[in-house]
Amino acid sequence: MPPKSATKRKAVVPNGTPNSTSSKKPKLEPTTTPSSDPLRQPHHLAAIAEDHGIVQRKFYPPELSNARAHAYATDALPRPIEQLTAAQEETAPARANVTVGAAVVHWFKTDLRVADNRALWEARQKAGADVPLIGLFVVSPEDMQAHLTAPARVDFIFRTLRILRADLEALGIPLYIETVPKRREIPERIIEFMQEWGASHLFANMEYEVDELRREAKIIRLGAEKGIAVEVVHDTCVVPPGALTSGAGRQYAVYSPWYRAWMAHVHAHPELLRPFTVPAGNSPAAREKVAVLFDCEVPAIPHDKQLSAEEAERFAALWPAGEHEAMDRLDKFCEEKIAAYGKRRNFPADAATSSISVHLAAGTLSARTAVKTARDRNKTKKLDAGVEGIQTWISEVAWRDFYRHVLVNWPYICMNKPFKPEYSNIAWSYNASHLAAWREGRTGFPLVDAAMRQLRRVGWMHNRCRMVVASFLSKDLLADWRLGERHFMEHLVDGDFASNSGGWGFSASVGVDPQPYFRVFNPLLQSEKFDPAGEYIRKWVPELRNVKGKAVHDPYGRGAGAQAKKEGYPRPIVDHKESRERALKAYKAGIERDKP
């Protein structure tokens, strides 16, 4: 049985006997290292970021300087993807010489599916018909803390694991799950699993965040030292990062030309949309060799990520888990709604979107399958022709690829820095009452409040509303956009670092391909345009449910103030026009600070 508590234990070996060997715990490095290297000096506002919980010093060093961010951007420092590639290249001869052993292992991470899973499929090919294939999932409580994973998302992952375990068991493949309390110990612990099971090859799909790229590079080298081949492959994106470059030979930083290149690349390489088949199961003989591993159950969710009983029941009903549900939801969307997607997608009161983001984030659905399924509903194989709604929806799914490509090339985005480092110099406000009002949905701006209450209740928010509330926080309140980025990750059931960071960068005008900083969403105009009848507002802000007509968008400014006040709805906490002027001055001063 897997561990019931957050303590390290020896893995169960296929013959059922515990292995007596143990490993030394890696020596923990200090969180800061004094250095005269200017690239290792923190940003001048690092202490403020730490004080407000933006940088978690338990896991990470202080906010890095703008100079260090520029060093990554100009190739002066190696990117984590380059460190991983170097590990792969340098260990290639050793890995090629590894012969298949007593088992082959696939390490599940954010790819919790059996269908269209490249690394799982390749693991099956390596194992062949007679060698058992084992599934592995590592629960890392510290990673959940470091990555601010929402309890709703953790709950979704654990419900998915139960479904995945059953799907694999039907194929005669066990899923072994173990909790590793210290995130630094994961590479060594995985190699221990391999040794205890006599496994020769570990397969995994690549993740593109900095922590994960560095971890995979370490595991590859550790495996090579122990005679174990660790194969990390691209699968998360339709087009792998690095495959697309501009005419100048660099990564695109603007979506439109990138998307044109992405479509052209897919058209030229149709195999990119060819799904991987469900792998063959273990033979009866191979299954018997690993029979004891089928006793492994899904462990309890770490205590600090557990939902209440009422929340667990609510989220299970809202967000059914597993890849079968993902495909059902995708097929239904393509059948019923995708044709009108381009026209209706911006209206939060309409159920016009696919709502598959939670499945893309957990990997219960691949981006490849999503794009191919939509394309196959079109009357052409071209991604830029045919039904407008299908074209638009595929272009929206492609943003997910784009933000990962950006993350790989500008890794400091993972380090609490904006894509444009000079925007780190903006003097943000940290008004506690304003932040609390924004988080709780009581700013006095009805569309903002409706969206924030939806997030708290269902763990999800319509994309148009995500842009509105992000602009409001960073510009109307002049609050540090990273506080909003964090709040989203702590509450979104579809929390995905690359997409979340990219969205906040766009709305706060600090990211890649953003709206210019002098463009500030007017929450009233956004409300009137995208919720014209006030249906969305009335659903999520019950205090305004009986306010008639257009007054619902601005009750205190349109004659419904007494009614709103009686129902307990607050007045606007800021004046939009004044806030806009304040934001423009602060942004301009911040970005000009380091100019000569």
Side-chain angles (χ1 to χ4, degrees), residues 413-432:
I413 294 172
C414 279
M415 306 171 191
N416 300 293
K417 298 295 286 187
F419 170 75
K420 298 179 178 181
E422 62 273 20
Y423 283 62
S424 299
N425 299 331
I426 296 172
W428 302 107
S429 167
Y430 295 92
N431 184 309

Side-chain angles (χ1 to χ4, degrees), residues 26 73 85 177 206 214 236 312 321 335 363 366 403 409 422 431 504:
T85 301
I177 306 173
M206 192 179 300
R214 289 173 174 167
T236 300
E335 183 69 27
S366 74
Y403 283 137
N409 197 73
E422 62 273 20
N431 184 309
W504 274 92

